[in-house]
Amino acid sequence: ITAEGSAQVSITQIAQLSQVEEESERRKVELDLLRRAIDQKYAELSQLVETPLPTHGNPYLFLQPFGIADHARFVGRENEIAELYERVIQNAVTFLTGNNGTGKTSLLKAGLTPALLKWKHLPLVVSVNSETLEAGIKKELLPNIDSTTFLKNMALTEFIRVVASALPDGQLLFVLVDDFEGFFNDGEHSESDRNAFYNEWQRCLSGAALKVHWLFCVPSNLQHLLNFFKREVQPNPNTISVAPFDRASAQAAILKPAKGRGIRVDEGVVSSILDVLGGKDIDPAALQLVCYMLAGGRSACSPEWTMEYYSAQGKADGILRDYLDRTIEELGPLEREPAWQVLAVLANPSMPISTEEQLVEKLKKRSRAAF
C-alpha cells in the first residue's frame, strides 16, 4: 500500500468470532429480548386493566367471555375472585372447574388477572390449542419465538426459570392454563406431548428457586382429567368450582352495567328475569344474553326497561327461545336435527332416548324452560 503526500493509511484487522463465540453472542441477544418482552407484557396487561369502558353502545357483552379490559363491568364474581386469588397465592398448583357457561375464562381474564397485576405479579393466560403447551406458554411472551432458535429450543423449565428470575423480589409468575381439556385431544396432542409437558412441569414444580404458580382449568364434567397431576399433587383439595350466579350476584350483574350507561330498569323486570332463569342458580351466559338483547343488541341502547318494553321483547324466556330458534335455523338442513339432539341431551342428560324423533320432540317441548 503506497501513500503519497499527506495521505495516511489505516489498517484495522477484524477478528472473526469463533462458532462458540457466535452462539454465546446470539444467546445473549435472545435472552435480552426475552427480558424486554417480560417488561412489555406487564406494561400491556396493565394498560388493558386501566382502559376505560366505552361510553356508548351496549354495556353488556354478548356470549363472548369477558377480557382483561372488561374487568370493570365483570360484576357478580367478587367473592369468587377473592377466593381464587388467595388460593393461587398460597398454592403452587390450583385447579378451576365449572359447568360450561359459568364464566371460567371470564374469571381468569377479567377477575384473577387484574387482581394479580394489582400486586405487581405477572399472569400469563394460555389457552390450549393445536400447538404444544410449551409453545403456547412461550408465545404469550414472544409471539415470534419461532425466529429465536435458542429460546425456541430451550427447555420449558429453563425458560420459566429465566422469566421468574427476571421479576423483582416478592413478585411471582402465574401460568393460567385455560381449556386444559384440549390437551387430551389425541388428534392434536399425542401421549408423548403430554409426557414431555408433565416432565417439564414436574421439574418446574420441584425447583425451589422457581417463583411460579400454576392454574389449570377444565369443565366440571371433565374434572377427571386433572388426575394427570395426581403423582405430584392431589386435585380435589386444590380445586375450586365456579358455581352459577346466586340471586344477589345476578341482580348486581344486571343493574351495575345498566346504571353505568344510564339505563333505568324497573324492579319487576329484574325479578322476572331472575325468576325465569332459575330463581337462585342462574346461568351467567343466559343472563348475559338476555341483558344484551334488552339493552338493544347491536342497535341503539334502550334507555328504559319498563315491564311494557320487557314484555314486548318476549320476556327472558322469549328472548332465549328466539335466539335458539335463529341459531338452529342458521344451520344447514342436514345439521338442524343433530343440533336438536345435542341440545336435548344437554337439557336433560338422563332422558331416555328411544328414537331421534322422540328426542327432538321432547327437546322442543322442554326448550322453552331449559333455555
Side-chain angles (χ1 to χ4, degrees):
I1 300 174
T2 303
E4 298 181 355
S6 60
Q8 295 182 346
V9 176
S10 177
I11 300 176
T12 302
Q13 182 176 359
I14 301 176
Q16 185 176 1
L17 295 177
S18 68
Q19 186 174 355
V20 173
E21 291 171 328
E22 285 183 353
E23 179 66 19
S24 177
E25 188 65 26
R26 181 160 58 85
R27 292 183 179 186
K28 290 179 182 179
V29 170
E30 292 190 15
L31 287 171
D32 185 58
L33 177 65
L34 177 57
R35 294 186 182 97
R36 293 199 307 271
I38 294 168
D39 293 337
Q40 182 178 355
K41 184 68 174 182
Y42 183 83
E44 289 174 352
L45 292 175
S46 299
Q47 185 176 8
L48 284 174
V49 171
E50 296 167 2
T51 301
L53 291 175
T55 57
H56 61 281
N58 202 311
Y60 303 94
L61 297 183
F62 189 42
L63 290 177
Q64 69 269 34
F66 288 77
I68 299 173
D70 298 308
H71 79 100
R73 57 177 165 181
F74 183 57
V75 182
R77 290 299 194 190
E78 290 77 13
N79 292 337
E80 288 84 350
I81 293 170
E83 180 186 4
L84 187 57
Y85 176 82
E86 289 300 321
R87 190 72 69 90
V88 299
I89 286 289
Q90 294 172 5
N91 298 295
V93 186
T94 306
F95 304 110
L96 183 67
T97 68
N99 293 334
N100 290 326
T102 52
K104 300 184 296 297
T105 299
S106 298
L107 186 59
L108 290 182
K109 292 184 176 181
L112 180 59
T113 292
L116 291 170
L117 288 168
K118 179 180 179 180
W119 295 100
K120 309 301 182 184
H121 301 300
L122 178 61
L124 302 179
V125 181
V126 182
S127 185
V128 174
N129 53 35
S130 58
E131 64 185 355
T132 66
L133 189 48
E134 176 180 335
I137 293 171
K138 291 180 177 180
K139 285 184 178 181
E140 276 300 304
L141 286 170
L142 293 169
N144 297 322
I145 197 166
D146 289 339
S147 63
T148 60
T149 306
F150 173 61
L151 293 176
K152 179 182 178 181
N153 295 325
M154 178 185 284
L156 179 61
T157 306
E158 180 63 15
F159 185 88
I160 291 290
R161 187 197 66 78
V162 172
V163 175
S165 63
L167 300 178
D169 290 341
Q171 297 178 19
L172 303 174
L173 171 66
F174 290 84
V175 183
L176 314 176
V177 183
D178 197 12
D179 302 320
F180 186 62
E181 68 276 11
F183 198 46
F184 297 86
N185 183 347
D186 290 329
E188 297 178 340
H189 299 280
S190 65
E191 186 69 22
S192 61
D193 288 339
R194 289 188 283 273
N195 289 336
F197 172 74
Y198 183 87
N199 291 335
E200 288 297 315
W201 170 81
Q202 187 183 42
R203 294 187 188 101
C204 288
L205 196 66
S206 60
L210 294 182
K211 304 183 296 182
V212 56
H213 290 199
W214 298 80
L215 180 145
F216 297 91
C217 182
V218 298
S220 294
N221 63 326
L222 297 175
Q223 189 170 339
H224 64 277
L225 296 177
L226 298 179
N227 288 328
F228 179 78
F229 301 100
K230 67 180 181 181
R231 281 186 290 167
E232 296 297 325
V233 59
Q234 290 301 314
N236 289 340
N238 294 278
T239 298
I240 294 179
S241 182
V242 184
F245 274 146
D246 59 28
R247 194 174 183 90
S249 298
Q251 180 172 322
I254 296 173
L255 293 178
K256 187 173 180 179
K259 182 179 180 181
R261 196 54 53 83
I263 299 173
R264 193 184 74 80
V265 184
D266 284 358
E267 185 176 331
V269 172
V270 176
S271 296
S272 176
I273 293 173
L274 299 180
D275 290 341
V276 169
L277 296 185
K280 57 179 181 179
D281 293 326
I282 297 167
D283 179 6
L287 182 67
Q288 192 170 303
L289 172 58
V290 169
C291 291
Y292 176 84
M293 298 306 295
L294 285 174
R298 296 182 180 180
S299 304
C301 199
S302 303
E304 192 170 7
W305 298 1
T306 63
M307 282 301 298
E308 181 181 4
Y309 169 75
Y310 173 64
S311 298
Q313 305 305 308
K315 299 186 176 180
D317 50 354
I319 291 172
L320 294 173
R321 183 177 63 247
D322 290 344
Y323 173 74
L324 176 62
D325 289 342
R326 287 197 306 272
T327 301
I328 295 296
E329 286 301 316
E330 289 175 359
L331 299 175
L334 297 178
E335 298 173 318
R336 290 171 190 163
E337 187 169 315
W340 279 114
Q341 295 177 42
V342 171
L343 290 171
V345 174
L346 292 175
N348 186 2
S350 63
M351 180 176 58
I353 301 173
S354 300
T355 66
E356 291 183 358
E357 291 77 12
Q358 291 176 348
L359 185 62
V360 173
E361 187 59 31
K362 186 166 286 190
L363 174 69
K364 290 178 179 177
K365 292 178 180 179
R366 293 176 55 85
S367 63
R368 274 25 174 204
F371 294 91

